[in-house]
């Protein structure tokens, strides 16, 4: 630890990180940004803060955190991008006094490697992202990390070669997506501007990899941004390193024709013209015959290729037309089926709605008709019966639904149980057959009983018979018991026949009562009654008609009594008539000539 007085904020943060869990460290390290922003850039206070941060190992914590999977940590990848920016700012302008060799040879290359590794992770998640918001977030964080890398090798020029030779950098440069490829090309442009001699410091393999990627971009894409960035990079590399022009002409013989044919008039003709001029000067030095020969060879190859492509396209034209027609008809048939099904569903839905409304209207009409017919004193009873029937219907449907649901849930287990039974039965049969086929060895013959064992078993049998004697019955008792059974059977059959007749009679009476009740409920009011309606309720029996007439007269007489004759009936309901005032039984009902 440093002997000089350290910044208390850095000291407190280091102590807090030491005592914190691993997943809580990244959010704590974000406080370093406030420490760095509190002092002006390049001041002694800023250098002192960076020295304290490095001395207490907080920068090493940042390097280690960059290697973690931040999708599982608090803050996510946004925290990782901010930590990358904090790490680069802590390393630039830092003056290490103790063991500077370790700082420049181990610490800084490790920081570069971790930053590039984080960039690869962000690029992979940007490619896999589906939503536009996620893509924009990952692209912004990737730009932050690449900016931190540029800031780092901008402050330490010797890191430019380290960045260029890193495998992660080459992988990032070979990305297929346009956005990250453009960003990495800008990083390469910054490397060349910071250290123009870096191309002479890297090995030949790395240089060839970078050139292969740039030329591949120019030959395989039509994106203007990619083409412009690749052209500017090749021009910059050719200006800084004259030997690179010879390398381009030697290894990429068709580069000049590719650039002039594909990228002329695309908006960066100035840079393209300068690059073509450099290539032309180099080509002129090698001889004009080579150019003509290459041009003629290219024209021959293109002519052969175009002829092959045309013949191939003509052979496949008829099949392509048939396939197109088939797919069009299938798609049209599918759309027609979809429209037909949609219309049928709408018609069915409308029909069900009309049926439901019609059923509801009929139900309400029936309810109103029944309420008009039923007497006021019977309305509550009728409503209770309807509620009970409704409750029973709901319960019945609920039990059915629950039983079907339980059956579907238990169906799989029942199927497994049956399968287990079948397997067990087959296994048992197989084992039994194999047991029967297997002969017993001669030394395993069943052993017989000895004389002593036979005597002991016979003694046990005799003792059991003596303790449990069998009951015996004479022939006379058997005949008497048979006679009693026959008599009881005859009485049962006779009683059963009488019960059946009584049940039939009860059913007939119930049907008659139901018919009479329906007649009463469907009868019109007194104001609408006709002679034809009265004939339905008139009895053909003279005694019955006389009794009914007497009951009616008694009722009229009771209703016409003065008030003083009705004293004592204050607590009787208005529609109730005393039994002693009537000469007929009120419980008896005369309907349709039957009592």
């Amino acid at each position: 630890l440093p002997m000089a007085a350290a910044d208390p904020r850095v000291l407190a943060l280091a102590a807090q990180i030491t005592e914190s869990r691993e997943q809580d460290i990244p959010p704590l390290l974000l406080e370093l940004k406030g420490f760095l922003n509190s002092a002006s850039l390049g001041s002694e206070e800023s250098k002192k803060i960076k020295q304290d941060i490095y001395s207490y190992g907080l920068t090493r914590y940042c390097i280690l955190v960059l290697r973690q999977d931040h999708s599982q940590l608090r803050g996510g990848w946004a925290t990782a991008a901010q930590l990358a920016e904090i790490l680069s700012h802590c390393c630039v302008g830092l003056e290490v006094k103790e063991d500077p060799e370790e700082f420049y040879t181990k610490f800084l290359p490790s920081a570069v490697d971790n930053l590039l590794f984080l960039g690869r992770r962000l690029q992979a998640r940007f490619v896999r992202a589906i939503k536009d918001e996620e893509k924009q977030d990952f692209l912004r964080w990737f730009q932050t990390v690449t900016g931190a890398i540029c800031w780092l090798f901008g402050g330490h020029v010797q890191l430019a070669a380290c960045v260029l030779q890193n495998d992660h950098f080459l992988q990032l440069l070979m990305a297929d997506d346009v956005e990250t490829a453009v960003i990495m090309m800008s990083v390469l442009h910054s490397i060349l501007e910071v250290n123009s001699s870096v191309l002479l410091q890297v090995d030949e393999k790395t240089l060839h990899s970078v050139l292969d990627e740039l030329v591949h971009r120019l030959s395989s894409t039509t994106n203007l941004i990619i083409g412009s960035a690749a052209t500017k990079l090749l021009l910059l590399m050719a200006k800084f390193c004259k030997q690179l022009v010879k390398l381009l002409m030697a290894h990429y013989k068709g580069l000049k024709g590719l650039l002039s044919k594909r990228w002329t008039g695309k908006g960066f003709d100035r840079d393209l013209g300068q690059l073509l001029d450099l290539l032309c000067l180099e080509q002129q030095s090698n001889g004009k015959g080579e150019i003509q020969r290459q041009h003629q060879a290219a024209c021959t190859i293109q002519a052969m290729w175009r002829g092959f492509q045309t013949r191939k396209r003509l052979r496949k034209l008829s099949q392509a037309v048939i396939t197109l027609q088939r797919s069009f008809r299938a798609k049209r048939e599918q759309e027609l089926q979809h429209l037909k099904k949609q219309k049928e569903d709408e018609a069915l839905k409308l029909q069900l709605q009309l049926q439901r409304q019609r059923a509801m209207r009929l139900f309400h009409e029936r309810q109103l008709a029944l309420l008009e017919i039923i007497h006021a004193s019977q309305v509550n009873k009728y409503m209770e019966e309807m509620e009970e029937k409704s409750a029973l219907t709901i319960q019945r449907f609920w039990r059915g639904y629950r039983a079907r649901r339980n059956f579907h849930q238990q169906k799989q287990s029942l199927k497994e149980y049956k399968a287990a039974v079948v397997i067990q039965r087959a296994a048992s049969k197989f084992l039994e057959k194999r047991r029967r086929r297997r002969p017993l060895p001669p030394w395993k013959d069943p052993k017989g009983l000895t004389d002593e064992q036979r005597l002991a078993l016979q003694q046990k049998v005799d003792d059991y018979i003596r303790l449990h004697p069998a009951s015996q019955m004479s022939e006379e008792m058997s005949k008497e018991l048979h006679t009693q059974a026959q008599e009881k059977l005859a009485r049962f059959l006779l009683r059963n026949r009488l019960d059946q007749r009584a049940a039939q009679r009860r059913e007939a009476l119930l049907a008659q009562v139901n018919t009479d009740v329906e007649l009463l409920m469907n009868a019109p009011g007194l104001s609408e009654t006709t002679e034809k309606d009265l004939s339905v309720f008139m009895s053909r029996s003279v005694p019955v008609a006389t009794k009914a007439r007497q009951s009616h007269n008694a009722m009229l007489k009771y209703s016409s009594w003065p008030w003083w004759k009705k004293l004592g009936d204050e607590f009787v309901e208005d529609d109730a008539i005393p039994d002693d005032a009537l000469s007929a039984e009120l419980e008896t009902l005369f309907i349709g000539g039957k009592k």
Side-chain angles (χ1 to χ4, degrees):
L1 296 177
M3 302 301 296
D7 193 312
R9 299 175 297 174
V10 177
L11 185 61
L13 181 60
Q16 187 177 2
I17 289 176
T18 306
E19 298 174 358
S20 300
R21 296 181 300 175
E22 184 178 358
Q23 58 268 23
D24 297 332
I25 292 177
L28 293 175
L29 291 174
L30 294 179
E31 297 180 11
L32 294 174
K33 188 174 183 180
F35 300 167
L36 296 173
N37 294 334
S38 61
S40 60
L41 188 64
S43 63
E44 293 296 328
E45 183 182 359
S46 176
K47 294 180 181 179
K48 181 65 172 58
I49 292 175
K50 292 179 181 180
Q51 180 65 34
D52 293 339
I53 292 173
Y54 176 78
S55 300
Y56 283 95
L58 298 181
T59 52
R60 297 187 183 275
Y61 271 114
C62 292
I63 292 176
L64 295 175
V65 167
L66 294 180
R67 279 276 179 180
Q68 297 180 356
D69 186 6
H70 289 268
S71 59
Q72 307 294 333
L73 299 178
R74 259 187 2 181
W77 297 103
T79 302
Q82 295 180 17
L83 289 177
E85 192 175 10
I86 292 172
L87 177 62
S88 64
H89 282 79
C90 289
C91 294
V92 175
L94 175 62
E95 298 177 359
V96 180
K97 299 178 181 179
E98 297 181 3
D99 198 2
E101 183 179 358
E102 180 183 1
F103 174 75
Y104 290 105
T105 59
K106 295 182 179 180
F107 182 84
L108 289 178
S110 176
V112 169
D113 185 73
N114 287 357
L115 287 172
L116 290 171
F117 179 76
L118 176 61
R120 284 196 63 185
R121 281 189 167 180
L122 291 173
Q123 182 197 42
R125 279 160 176 79
F126 168 76
V127 174
R128 292 198 300 267
I130 299 175
K131 298 180 179 178
D132 294 335
E133 295 179 0
E134 294 181 1
K135 278 186 169 294
Q136 293 299 326
D137 292 339
F138 281 114
L139 184 62
R140 186 175 67 254
W141 298 332
F142 181 79
Q143 290 175 343
T144 303
V145 173
T146 53
I149 295 172
C150 294
W151 181 264
L152 186 59
F153 67 69
H156 301 278
V157 182
Q158 71 277 9
L159 291 178
C162 180
V163 174
L164 198 59
Q165 291 179 346
N166 195 287
D167 293 335
H168 298 310
F169 176 79
L170 295 177
Q171 293 294 332
L172 288 170
L173 190 62
M174 296 178 184
D176 294 330
D177 53 291
V178 177
E179 292 84 355
T180 57
V182 171
I183 295 173
M184 292 309 300
M185 287 183 182
S186 65
V187 173
L188 181 58
H189 194 277
S190 301
I191 291 174
L192 295 176
E193 288 181 347
V194 169
N195 188 359
S196 59
S197 62
V198 69
L199 298 176
L200 302 176
Q201 300 174 6
V202 299
D203 54 359
E204 188 177 358
K205 182 180 178 181
T206 303
L207 184 59
H208 280 290
S209 300
V210 174
L211 292 177
D212 289 343
E213 183 59 25
L214 294 177
V215 174
H216 172 71
R217 295 283 183 183
L218 290 171
S219 61
S220 63
T221 184
T222 57
N223 190 283
L224 298 179
I225 301 176
I226 296 290
S228 175
T231 304
K232 290 179 180 178
L233 281 174
L234 288 177
L235 178 61
L236 189 62
M237 294 169 71
K239 286 181 178 180
F240 288 153
C241 184
K242 300 299 182 181
Q243 299 176 359
L244 192 62
V245 182
K246 297 181 179 180
L247 184 63
L248 289 174
M249 293 301 300
H251 288 80
Y252 311 102
K253 296 184 181 301
L255 179 60
K256 182 175 176 296
L258 174 69
L259 292 174
S260 60
K261 290 181 179 180
R262 175 172 290 188
W263 298 107
T264 302
K266 301 297 184 180
F268 48 93
D269 292 339
R270 180 180 177 183
D271 297 331
L272 183 63
Q274 294 180 9
L275 180 59
L276 290 174
D277 291 339
L278 292 175
L279 295 176
C280 287
L281 290 175
E282 183 63 25
Q283 189 175 14
Q284 289 176 1
S285 63
N286 294 334
K288 297 182 178 180
E290 184 69 18
I291 299 175
Q292 294 178 356
R293 189 181 63 82
Q294 292 179 357
H295 181 72
Q296 185 65 29
C299 291
T300 304
I301 294 172
Q302 291 175 0
M304 295 296 292
W305 172 252
R306 291 193 186 97
F308 169 73
Q309 288 285 64
T310 303
R311 289 189 296 272
K312 183 179 178 180
R313 193 160 45 248
L314 289 175
R315 284 195 300 268
K316 293 184 177 180
L317 185 59
S318 58
Q319 185 65 27
V321 171
I322 294 173
T323 304
L324 180 62
Q325 291 176 351
R326 186 186 300 113
S327 61
F328 174 74
R329 294 192 188 98
K331 185 175 181 181
R332 184 177 59 182
E333 184 67 22
Q334 186 178 2
E335 291 178 354
L336 292 176
Q337 290 291 340
H338 179 69
L339 291 175
K340 183 178 179 182
K341 184 178 180 181
Q342 188 176 3
K343 290 181 180 179
E344 289 178 355
D345 292 342
E346 292 178 356
L348 180 60
K349 188 183 297 184
L350 180 61
Q351 186 177 1
L352 290 175
Q353 185 176 2
L354 293 176
Q355 289 180 358
R356 193 180 296 111
Q357 292 177 357
R358 190 181 297 110
M360 186 64 68
R361 185 170 61 252
L362 292 175
F363 173 75
H364 286 304
E365 291 177 358
R366 195 181 301 112
Q367 289 289 101
L368 292 174
L370 290 175
L371 290 176
E372 290 178 358
I373 294 171
I374 298 174
H375 196 271
S377 60
Q378 301 294 327
V379 172
N380 292 333
K381 182 178 179 181
Y382 172 74
M383 295 302 293
E384 291 176 357
E385 291 178 355
M386 293 300 296
E387 290 178 356
E388 184 178 357
K389 288 181 180 179
S390 302
L392 291 175
T393 303
I394 295 172
Q395 291 174 0
R396 183 171 67 253
F397 277 96
W398 165 249
R399 292 192 188 98
Y401 164 73
R402 186 175 57 186
R404 288 189 296 272
R405 185 185 61 185
N406 295 336
F407 173 74
H408 287 299
Q409 292 177 355
Q410 298 174 0
K411 190 174 182 180
Q412 184 63 24
S413 59
L414 181 61
K415 187 176 180 180
E416 294 176 356
Y417 173 75
K418 289 183 178 179
V421 170
V422 172
I423 294 172
Q424 291 173 0
R425 187 184 299 117
S428 301
K429 288 182 179 179
F430 170 74
L431 294 175
E432 183 65 24
K433 288 181 181 179
R434 191 173 65 176
R435 195 180 301 112
R436 290 177 181 176
R437 293 174 182 174
R438 184 185 303 168
L440 291 174
W443 61 85
K444 290 187 178 181
D445 291 336
K447 297 180 180 180
L449 295 175
T450 61
D451 295 338
E452 295 179 357
Q453 292 177 348
R454 192 178 290 105
L455 291 175
L457 285 174
Q458 186 64 34
Q459 184 65 31
K460 289 182 180 180
V461 172
D462 295 339
D463 294 341
Y464 183 83
I465 292 173
R466 186 174 62 255
L467 292 175
H468 304 86
S471 57
Q472 297 180 358
M473 184 179 294
S474 61
E475 185 178 356
E476 290 79 6
M477 293 178 65
S478 298
K479 290 182 180 180
E480 184 178 358
L481 184 60
H482 178 70
T483 305
Q484 292 178 1
Q486 291 293 330
E487 291 177 355
K488 289 182 178 180
L489 180 60
R491 287 197 297 271
F492 171 74
L493 293 175
L494 180 61
R495 186 169 60 253
N496 190 20
R497 191 178 298 110
L498 295 175
D499 292 342
Q500 289 179 358
R501 291 178 181 176
Q504 291 177 358
R505 187 169 178 275
R506 283 196 299 272
E507 291 178 358
L509 290 175
L510 285 174
Q512 179 181 350
V513 170
N514 290 333
T515 303
D516 296 341
V517 169
E518 289 181 359
L519 288 174
L520 281 176
M521 293 178 68
N522 296 329
L526 293 176
S527 60
E528 301 175 357
T529 304
T530 60
E531 293 182 0
K532 185 177 180 180
D533 296 332
L534 293 175
S535 62
V536 177
F537 299 96
M538 291 179 64
S539 175
R540 298 180 182 178
S541 176
V542 177
V544 173
T546 304
K547 191 69 174 179
R549 190 180 298 109
Q550 290 177 359
S551 300
H552 181 67
N553 292 334
M555 190 181 299
L556 292 176
K557 184 178 179 181
Y558 178 78
S559 61
S560 62
W561 281 357
W563 61 270
W564 48 271
K565 284 189 178 184
K566 295 182 181 180
L567 292 175
D569 298 337
E570 292 85 355
F571 301 101
V572 181
E573 295 180 359
D574 296 339
D575 55 349
I577 301 174
D579 293 341
D580 55 356
L582 300 176
S583 59
E585 296 178 356
L586 295 179
E587 293 83 1
T588 306
L589 184 63
F590 298 89
I591 300 174
K594 297 179 182 180
K595 184 177 180 181

